[in-house]
Amino acid sequence: MVDRRTGALWALFGAIAVVSSVLVLRRPPAERLSDLHIYYGAAQTVQSGQPLYGYVADNGGPFTYPPFAVLLMRPLTVFPEGAVQVAWLALVCAAVAAIGYAVARPAGGLVAAAACVVLLSAPAQSNLRFGQVSVFIVLLALVDAVGLTPARWRGVLVGVAAAVKLTPLLFVVYFLLAGRYRDAGRAALAFAGCAALAAAVLPADSWTYWTGTVTQTSRIGNLASLGNQSVHGMLMRVGVDAGTLPLLWAALVAVICGTALWRARQLWREEHPVRAAVLVGCASVAASPVSWTHHQVWTVLAAMLLVATNGVAQRVAGLALLAAMTVSLGALLRDVSTYPGVQFALENARTFGAVAVCLAGFGGVAAVAAHGRRRAGLRVASVAAAVVAGFVVLPLPAGADPTFKAYTLADAGNPRYFFASPYLRAGAAPVEFGVAREPTKVRVNGVVGAAVTRLEYRSAPGGAARAVPLVEYTAGQREFSFRSATLAHGRLLAYGADGAVLSTSTF
């Protein structure tokens, strides 16, 4: 029988699910479950015999998953898209409840509490808002990895998940290291079987994907935007040189994944399958080139497990990580950060959190013997604190904002390009501008006076100047528009014909 407290928690979960779903359905049609709209349109495209990877939805998004994924989406087209949206929201909430069960099952009554926490987190809300498939990928891999599936089928769900999204393939490596050879074999066979089925049904699309589209990460979106909280995305925001980036990223991924997988192997042998699975999932989030918010459910689960452990330090770390996975610290604390490095650390808190989980491994350090874990843990914590302090204290490099883009007149035809000029007019001040904040970037649009001949933006102290073009979009008025990941400590400088600074605007 369900006790009163558990019943109240499940009622709370239901309330959160209903309110979240209603808020999603009340969004403008163009912004409602935009990724599900892409899945639905891609399935219709395949049904009509058109090339899958030539499809672009009316919201501008292409289909980026392997061909097998669209086979799973094809049954959706039997129903109206509105009905599919409502059903999808219900399925996402059900998947979150199942994830709560898989993680907190040993704790009994905490299952409902775990489900509530996950549903309130930014990754789960992002899955609801965009109509994403990521929460189902996490559920399949988690259930299989912790051993909730029958032994003779264990590994199959991981293979199916990987056929929809490639990152769960890391679990195959984990199975091999943990001595779960049959699970690894079944996962590999399931993955290959799903890919072969897709190739038989969609041969041309499968050839297109596996011979080219699979490596075109630019199709997924702007990888340097703040929404991509992978190590690769953070390195791009730091401004690492394009020639150095692949090698540095590969080296970091090798260390992060190697440490996490070795520790996961230990946790499995110590009969902690949930922690082992979550640790591997966090490694996939940190190591993948693309880890949008909806991919980061694994990090939320890690935070919950830390809160549930013994030890003040681990619980505090878990609560801090839960906070970072629920709200955007960069946006919340933008007005109180007093240095660019502080803002950078806040904006990349989810990356730092996932990496910290991988390297610390829930209180153990994979590279040392058990008797030395406490001392080794202190060393790892000290090194991690020093690294974060380095970001906080040192000025960001000049190229620390690769998301910066200054628009020209040629961009005026882009529907995402706009000016705030309807309410801005050049007057006595050299520069007048407005600021529009979006989830992963900030746009600045404005006008300049007759005395201004040149405009520059500097995103970091001592950084190189970014030229901002002045365009005559409206007759008799010179305007400008640019975007940036953040305006924290940015400066906009206006120059006259003699090179003198006419004005400096700070944000």
Side-chain angles (χ1 to χ4, degrees), residues 222-291:
N222 182 5
L223 303 190
S225 67
L226 292 176
N228 181 16
Q229 288 285 305
S230 67
V231 172
H232 186 267
M234 186 179 71
L235 291 176
M236 292 183 72
R237 290 188 290 274
V238 168
V240 175
D241 177 77
T244 306
L245 179 60
L247 292 176
L248 179 58
W249 174 62
L252 290 175
V253 165
V255 173
I256 293 168
C257 287
T259 304
L261 289 168
W262 193 260
R263 174 58 178 159
R265 172 178 177 268
Q266 292 180 336
L267 288 169
W268 171 259
R269 292 183 174 182
E270 294 168 4
E271 299 184 353
H272 296 298
V274 174
R275 292 190 178 193
V278 170
L279 189 54
V280 177
C282 286
S284 72
V285 170
S288 173
V290 187
S291 293

Side-chain angles (χ1 to χ4, degrees), residues 76-92:
L76 300 180
T77 60
V78 175
F79 307 97
E81 187 172 358
V84 172
Q85 290 178 340
V86 174
W88 192 274
L89 291 172
L91 288 172
V92 169

Side-chain angles (χ1 to χ4, degrees), residues 23 82 84 169 172 186 197 241-242 285 288 318 343 349 403 427 489 501:
L23 290 175
V84 172
L169 287 174
V172 179
R186 282 187 286 263
L197 175 61
D241 177 77
V285 170
S288 173
Q343 186 66 24
T403 63
H489 310 285
V501 178

